[in-house]
Structure formats: C-alpha cells, structure tokens
Amino acid sequence: MSQYSEEIERRRTFAIISHPDAGKTTLTEKLLLFGGAIHVAGAVKSNKIKKTATSDWMEIEKQRGISVATSVMAFDYSGHKINILDTPGHQDFAEDTFRTLTAVDSVIIVIDTAKGVEAQTRKLMEVCRMRKTPVIVFVNKMDRDGKDPFDLLDEIEEELHINVRPLSWPIDMGQRFRGVYNIYEQKLNLYTPSKQYVTENVEFKDINSSELENYIEPGQAEKLRSDIELIEGVYPEFDVDTYLKGDIAPVFFGSALNNFGVKELLDCFINIAPSPRPVSAVERVVDPEEEAFSGFIFKIHANMDPNHRSCIAFVKICSGRFERNANYKHVRFGKMMRFSSPTAFMAQKKEVVDEAFAGDIIGLPDTGNFKIGDTLTSGEELHFKGLPSFSPEMFKYIENADPMKAKQLNKGIEQLMDEGVAQLFTNQFNGRKIIGTVGQLQFEVIQYRLLHEYGAQCKWEPISLYKACWIESDNTAALENFKRRKAQYMAVDKEGRDVYLADSGYVLMMAQQDFPDIKFHFTSEF
Ligand code: G4P
C-alpha cells in the first residue's frame, strides 16, 4: 500500500477496439455522455478515414487533428477515473493501435451483430491474447437483424480464440428487439424503439416466474427462459479472476446508437475491469503502487503546424505519481529532464496538469527528444518491455528524389520512424533503405510529411517481399552461416537487429526447414 493506492485503485485505463463501422465511436460517445464529459451527441468525431478519402490530404490532416484531440478521453464516473484510449479506425494505421494496446489495462471489443467477427477485430485480439489483456465484448446494433446470438458466441470463441460468458442476453432483435435480460445484475432492461434509452429497468431474479409475461410477449418469455437455461448449462459460471487473466470474455448485448445496454456495460466494467496492473521492465516487474514515478512513451503525435516541428509524446504512467516541473530521468539519454506543461486529456479538452498517477496518460510537448518505447523514471534505470514492432506487410525502397536535400530526407526518415509511422530496414548487401508498413496509406503519409515538414522529396521503388523476420540463434556459427548464405536478403532494423527479408512464403518455409538452429520471429520482441 502506498499513499497513492486510493488514486490508483480507482483508475480504469482501456481501449475500445472494433472493425470500422461496428460502432466504436458511437459507444465512446455514449460512455462520455454517462460520465458527463460531453453533453450533446455528435460531439465525438469519428477518426476513421473513409475508403474513398484515401488520397484526400485535407481529410488526413483533419483526421490527424481529430485524433490528437481524442487520443485519450478521461472522465469521472461513479467514483472512478476512466481513461479511454482512442485507436485509429483505418486498418493502415493498425500498428498505432497495436502500440496503444500496450498502454491499456483492459479492452472492450465492439462487434456488429450482423457482421460478426471481422478481419481487424481478429488481428487486434491477437495482440490482446499475446498480452493477456482482459476483454469484454459488446455486441452492438441489436436494433437491427443480425446473427443468432448463440451462433455469434460460437463464432467469437472460434475466431477470437477466447472463451466467452454472456452476462446479458437479448430478447429478440431487429424490429422485434425488446431489450435484454441482464444476467449480471439479474434485471430486465426493456427497450422501446425511438425512446433512445432503457425505458424500464426491472429487478427480476427469477425469470421462471409468470410475471415475466407482464413485460414481454409469451413467445419471447418462453424463448428467454430456454435460452438462459441453455446458457447456464453450457457456459461456466462467470468468474472475475478468469476474466482478469484474459481467459474468458464476458459478453453484453445492446445498441450503442440507442444508448441501450451501455450503462449496464459501464457499471459492470468499473466493477470487474482491472485497475493499473504491474508492468514488466527488462530489469524487474514494476508495481503501480510503488512510490517512485515511472512511465513509457507509447505514441508520438506530430504537431499539425508544419512550421514548428513539435510533437506530443504520450506517456503511460506505470507507477507512482508524476509531478509538473519535477526532474525525471530520460533513461535512453541518461539525463534528467523537467516538464513544465504536461497535459491531460479530459474528453475533448487538453489542459496542463500538476500531477497524474499510475494508469493515467499524459502528453509531453516534445521537439524530438523522445522515441517510442522510451522510459522516464524518478531516477532508476528501467526499460519497459512490451512495445514490439510487428512484421510489416508492405515494403518499398525509399529513394531520394532531390539530391540537394539528402540531409533533410535522412533526418525526416529518422524522426518519422522514431514516431512509429512505419519501419525502416537497411539492406546489408546494397545499403538501400526499405520502408515497411501495414498499408498503402502509410507510404502516402510518409511522402507527404517528408515534403511538408522536412522539405524533402522521396520516391518509392518496388521491392517484392513477403515478410521481414527478426532472427536469432544460440549457435553463433549457424547464425553467421545463415547471414552469409542469405547475404542479399539480410537487413538491420533501426536498432541494429538482424532482419531476414523473405521474398515469398515458400522461401521462408524452406529457410525455416534448412536452418533449424535459427529462430524466426514476427515481432521485434522475443
Ligand atoms: P466505428 O467508430 O466503429 O467505425 O463506428 P461508428 O460509431 O462510426 O458507427 C458506424 C455506423 O453504425 C454509424 O452510422 C452509426 O450511427 C451506426 N451505429 C452505431 N451503433 C448503432 C446501433 O446500435 N444501431 C444501429 N442501427 N446503428 C448503429 P453511419 O450511417 O455510418 O454514420 P452516421 O452518419 O450515423 O454517423
């Protein structure tokens, strides 16, 4: 127990993840309404970049503006301090989302009842599973016709590789949607279309009582009873510890647009979701309640103003209390730094704060001192783990298109990579620079930003690559042999680690077979 225990215990830092269009923005907005952080619907802008706008730079700049404003949304609710971390909707920025997930203690996954589990949800869930992040599932759009809820639960289990346990259960769907039975609170939450909120909320311990028919049609009552019986028979009793270990995901049903089922989700969330959890550093595990401050940078957001290269570095506080104007150690530089205007994010406002606690996110104005993964501490030498780079999916050579601006180009590439915009690999054989991304849009962003922020011009040249794998081996001779044999395909990443560039799935498979002593990794941390 430390003097900060109470503050830390009441914090809930999480992200909402979904495939675009499932309802993440709508749900976020309703949560903020409950917290009194905003007062009108429509105040939270969706930060998704519509497909049609891929090359619309006004749109991208606008989105960058929105996404800094909504990067973190904090509010108080029922004695708890809630920090919602926003994640970019566009799949080309998935790497950003992966990193944001390293700064949260839990996650809410939104699934569209009609579409079920979609591609991006699957990918993001992989990261949650890897980190053992506790997840709650919210099945959205119950006011529309969708999949049978049991089938949907099977699909979630199968596709997301996680056990589920419904804590609420829908009564019909679409036009006939009548509400949910809240298994967690043993209440009947009744829904009237167009009323935009729960119209009736009835304590209902025994759904076998004939009183149920006073609220819903006999056919619906009968179906609900048999569904609940089946649920109790098939799914294990809900156990908070299993949820906290990331082994089971409680599931809620509702309609974010109609603000239905959202309060129930939030009430359960604050009860069961974890407060800040211990974080692993290379040196040791850091407990949030330790007196000394520590935190790491998980996101860097460049300023909108191209004339000033200033950024905001987002710090997740891992332990203790952060104080404005106090001296903290920038571990990579080994020097002390002071921050006179750290900002906190309350809904859509950014304001200077005097203090913040483990679990909170603060923004530090920066002019290039930080890169992703940097650690700040009260003085201890700590390096937090868990900010891996993921093997990119698209690759291009980056070349200088203006010989007079080579210096600017190199500086621009370096800083954009520090910001985590994409990954840089340098081919050991010919010295050429290769940029790896998750999607096409990132190449466009890099080119645009190099020109507008650094005055440098780049051009892209195709390279046919399938994957970049980080390699290692306990057998030094085997490693050297591999590097020699594959010399043309060897590169180093920004940190100087060995990376093998495989040009096809087949070639990679053969390499794995032919060189059993070499370990191939698809993330940079292993
Ligand atoms: P996202 O952030 O996950 O991408 O999704 P977003 O909240 O923007 O929601 C996507 C669309 O789904 C929006 O409609 C939104 O109004 C709708 N939606 C969200 N929740 C529900 C729900 O519970 N029921 C129904 N029927 N629709 C829901 P849109 O037409 O794409 O956008 P907008 O013009 O309404 O903003």
Side-chain angles (χ1 to χ4, degrees):
M1 286 288 277
S2 79
Q3 53 175 321
Y4 311 135
S5 298
E6 213 173 292
E7 279 298 338
I8 293 167
E9 280 294 307
R10 72 185 194 96
R11 276 160 169 75
R12 301 283 182 275
T13 303
F14 74 106
I16 304 178
I17 57 177
S18 71
H19 192 84
D21 271 347
K24 177 169 72 80
T25 310
T26 314
L27 179 65
T28 306
E29 176 169 292
K30 302 301 173 187
L31 292 174
L32 292 179
L33 280 167
F34 279 116
I38 55 170
H39 300 284
V40 283
V44 179
K45 296 282 177 295
S46 168
N47 72 358
K48 66 190 158 194
I49 297 170
K50 298 242 154 69
K51 267 213 174 69
T52 50
T54 327
S55 296
D56 180 345
W57 293 111
M58 284 305 287
E59 186 65 14
I60 288 190
E61 287 298 278
K62 208 169 77 205
Q63 300 295 354
R64 285 179 56 209
I66 292 167
S67 71
V68 75
T70 59
S71 284
V72 187
M73 288 161 280
F75 61 91
D76 284 305
Y77 177 78
S78 195
H80 290 83
K81 164 102 186 274
I82 317 273
N83 295 314
I84 306 181
L85 271 60
D86 196 25
T87 53
H90 199 289
Q91 59 169 15
D92 286 9
F93 297 117
E95 179 98 19
D96 232 28
T97 303
F98 297 156
R99 280 192 299 258
T100 299
L101 292 180
T102 64
V104 301
D105 298 301
S106 71
V107 154
I108 292 179
I109 297 180
V110 184
I111 287 176
D112 182 325
T113 178
K115 295 190 180 145
V117 176
E118 296 174 88
Q120 204 160 331
T121 320
R122 222 173 282 134
K123 243 179 167 173
L124 297 172
M125 183 62 207
E126 267 174 44
V127 181
C128 296
R129 256 201 326 272
M130 210 167 87
R131 304 180 52 81
K132 292 256 160 216
T133 309
V135 304
I136 297 182
V137 176
F138 183 73
V139 178
N140 190 28
K141 308 194 187 181
M142 291 309 296
D143 60 317
R144 289 202 187 155
D145 284 322
K147 301 189 178 190
D148 172 82
F150 281 112
D151 290 347
L152 195 58
L153 293 185
D154 286 350
E155 185 179 325
I156 296 172
E157 289 201 322
E158 233 164 77
E159 301 260 332
L160 299 184
H161 305 285
I162 184 156
N163 294 321
V164 296
R165 175 48 159 113
L167 287 186
S168 81
W169 195 252
I171 303 164
D172 239 321
M173 63 172 80
Q175 299 226 324
R176 287 175 46 80
F177 183 54
R178 194 61 187 102
V180 296
Y181 180 62
N182 186 333
I183 303 170
Y184 184 68
E185 293 179 8
Q186 297 190 308
K187 277 183 184 155
L188 204 52
N189 303 145
L190 297 172
Y191 168 77
T192 312
S194 79
K195 274 284 167 65
Q196 299 273 313
Y197 44 76
V198 179
T199 35
E200 261 182 284
N201 210 331
V202 194
E203 190 96 18
F204 219 100
K205 293 226 179 308
D206 178 15
I207 55 160
N208 288 318
S209 139
S210 61
E211 270 190 42
L212 189 59
E213 274 84 351
N214 295 341
Y215 297 99
I216 55 179
E217 285 173 25
Q220 292 179 320
E222 211 169 298
K223 174 94 173 44
L224 178 65
R225 288 187 186 110
S226 70
D227 282 357
I228 298 288
E229 197 182 318
L230 194 59
I231 290 169
E232 302 302 343
V234 170
Y235 295 101
E237 192 69 22
F238 176 62
D239 170 46
V240 180
D241 286 333
T242 320
Y243 153 73
L244 289 174
K245 282 190 200 132
D247 289 335
I248 202 160
V251 181
F252 285 84
F253 291 82
S255 165
L257 187 64
N258 294 293
N259 209 353
F260 185 86
V262 177
K263 184 170 183 299
E264 290 68 25
L265 173 74
L266 182 59
D267 286 339
C268 173
F269 172 81
I270 56 169
N271 265 331
I272 65 170
S275 53
R277 307 202 295 173
V279 188
S280 295
V282 175
E283 294 78 6
R284 64 187 183 87
V285 174
V286 176
D287 193 87
E289 299 205 6
E290 290 176 19
E291 298 273 328
F293 159 80
S294 67
F296 65 86
I297 316 280
F298 67 96
K299 173 181 173 122
I300 292 176
H301 204 295
N303 203 313
M304 299 288 292
D305 182 355
N307 298 320
H308 302 92
R309 270 217 49 80
S310 65
C311 306
I312 296 181
F314 289 80
V315 183
K316 160 79 188 271
I317 303 181
C318 299
S319 68
R321 170 170 169 265
F322 175 92
E323 245 181 288
R324 186 159 82 99
N325 280 327
N327 279 305
Y328 294 116
K329 184 172 184 176
H330 184 313
V331 173
R332 182 167 55 90
F333 286 175
K335 75 169 190 201
M336 301 303 276
M337 291 174 84
R338 277 177 57 201
F339 304 96
S340 59
S341 42
T343 48
F345 304 83
M346 297 300 286
Q348 287 137 332
K349 293 197 304 281
K350 215 163 74 194
E351 54 191 39
V352 173
V353 285
D354 291 322
E355 61 171 14
F357 296 90
D360 286 338
I361 310 295
I362 48 169
L364 301 178
D366 175 43
T367 49
N369 281 319
F370 290 118
K371 62 181 186 181
I372 293 204
D374 275 347
T375 303
L376 282 175
T377 67
S378 293
E380 191 177 347
E381 194 74 12
L382 285 175
H383 299 84
F384 285 106
K385 293 199 285 197
L387 274 154
S389 299
F390 294 82
S391 181
E393 283 158 32
M394 298 177 86
F395 302 86
K396 284 183 186 178
Y397 281 122
I398 186 165
E399 299 290 350
N400 188 5
D402 178 356
M404 305 299 288
K405 299 280 171 65
K407 231 170 95 188
Q408 284 86 336
L409 183 73
N410 285 336
K411 179 158 182 249
I413 294 175
E414 189 179 325
Q415 291 198 348
L416 292 183
M417 299 307 126
D418 280 353
E419 234 180 75
V421 175
Q423 291 179 59
L424 173 71
F425 304 103
T426 309
N427 189 312
Q428 291 300 82
F429 192 68
N430 55 21
R432 290 179 80 180
K433 289 189 164 91
I434 299 162
I435 301 286
T437 68
V438 179
Q440 175 59 30
L441 194 50
Q442 279 164 284
F443 291 114
E444 297 176 32
V445 170
I446 291 169
Q447 191 162 21
Y448 178 87
R449 290 190 55 192
L450 283 172
L451 184 64
H452 290 259
E453 293 169 28
Y454 299 89
Q457 282 189 46
C458 75
K459 58 177 192 241
W460 301 108
E461 283 183 18
I463 175 172
S464 164
L465 281 184
Y466 166 70
K467 271 229 174 335
C469 322
W470 286 266
I471 56 162
E472 62 161 354
S473 178
D474 299 330
N475 182 340
T476 323
L479 189 62
E480 287 312 314
N481 177 41
F482 180 84
K483 282 162 66 173
R484 209 170 37 247
R485 296 270 300 274
K486 299 281 182 189
Q488 267 174 290
Y489 299 97
M490 287 309 301
V492 289
D493 72 2
K494 259 205 94 217
E495 320 303 329
R497 287 171 294 209
D498 288 325
V499 175
Y500 167 56
L501 307 168
D503 52 8
S504 74
Y506 177 74
V507 166
L508 176 59
M509 195 182 73
M510 291 311 288
Q512 284 169 316
Q513 255 177 35
D514 295 346
F515 299 91
D517 282 347
I518 307 288
K519 290 195 195 102
F520 297 80
H521 301 280
F522 299 102
T523 60
S524 65
E525 205 169 75
F526 32 83

